[in-house]
Amino acid sequence: MRIRFRFVKLGKIRFTSQRDVARMWERALRRAELPLAYTEGFSPRPQLSFGLALPTGCESLAEYLDVVLDDLRPETAAVDLATLPALLTGLLPEGIDVEEADLVDRRDGSLQQRVTSCSWTMSFAGISRAALVDRVVSLLAADSVPIVRERKGRQEHDDLRPSVLALEVCPPRSGAGE
């Protein structure tokens, strides 16, 4: 049985790394006494699969996690999906709230395969709204947006433009300056 959880990560917990969030989930699932399936090998780990890793410092309204339960254990059939969100929210740190738990067919693709796009909301300081609008228009009109990034000590050249599906400057929030 594979269960997909949707959870939020808001507030101070946003400064926690993806690796630490994974450890928090492992502890919470153990405390909930769920019949987890484990990897094989010298150091067995619960079979957990996260969606795209959220950068440290960012909040999210929709993070996803797949958890595999051991179908050979009789208590797996007794797992109540309706009660899992409240149970796990109480076992996770403040700022991580489990909103939904659904069964997922094991033959379905992984979370990494299923994600087709992400939406981001960003705030900018030190730039006027008009200048930001000009930059957005320029980026969307560009055929390519080349960048150089360092990975494993090597510089890699990449084009960001194909990754930007849509981009807009939203109206200022009430109380926020132009």
Side-chain angles (χ1 to χ4, degrees):
M1 174 186 295
R2 185 166 86 173
I3 301 172
R4 180 161 294 157
F5 293 99
R6 181 171 52 88
F7 64 98
V8 300
K9 183 179 170 187
L10 300 171
K12 291 181 181 179
I13 201 78
R14 74 181 182 272
F15 297 111
T16 305
S17 71
Q18 180 69 20
R19 187 178 191 130
D20 288 336
V21 169
R23 284 192 206 115
M24 290 175 201
W25 269 97
E26 285 182 28
R27 281 192 302 272
L29 292 165
R30 246 190 336 269
R31 288 181 188 139
E33 299 179 353
L34 291 175
L36 300 173
Y38 284 82
T39 61
E40 296 181 14
F42 186 73
S43 300
R45 308 282 306 172
Q47 290 183 17
L48 309 179
S49 175
F50 286 86
L52 299 174
L54 184 67
T56 303
C58 293
E59 295 181 315
S60 176
L61 298 174
E63 290 297 290
Y64 293 91
L65 164 68
D66 283 355
V67 175
V68 179
L69 301 185
D70 187 346
D71 291 327
L72 300 177
R73 293 176 57 186
E75 58 269 34
T76 298
V79 172
D80 181 10
L81 289 178
T83 62
L84 282 179
L87 172 65
L88 290 168
T89 295
L91 297 172
L92 288 160
E94 184 179 332
I96 296 183
D97 297 320
V98 183
E99 297 195 327
E100 194 172 352
D102 287 313
L103 278 181
V104 178
D105 190 322
R106 280 189 170 198
R107 295 173 299 217
D108 281 355
S110 71
L111 280 168
Q112 294 289 350
Q113 294 170 329
R114 306 282 300 178
V115 173
T116 58
S117 64
C118 300
S119 296
W120 292 81
T121 302
M122 295 179 245
S123 299
F124 294 91
I127 184 170
S128 72
R129 181 176 171 73
L132 189 56
V133 168
D134 288 344
R135 288 189 184 181
V136 165
V137 169
S138 294
L139 186 139
L140 292 175
D143 291 330
S144 69
V145 180
I147 63 162
V148 178
R149 47 182 154 187
E150 189 172 318
R151 286 193 175 145
K152 297 182 180 180
R154 292 189 340 238
Q155 287 191 343
E156 292 187 12
H157 298 269
D158 206 353
D159 182 9
L160 290 183
R161 182 59 187 98
S163 301
V164 180
L165 304 177
L167 189 62
E168 65 180 304
V169 177
C170 297
R173 294 180 295 201
S174 61
E178 285 278 319

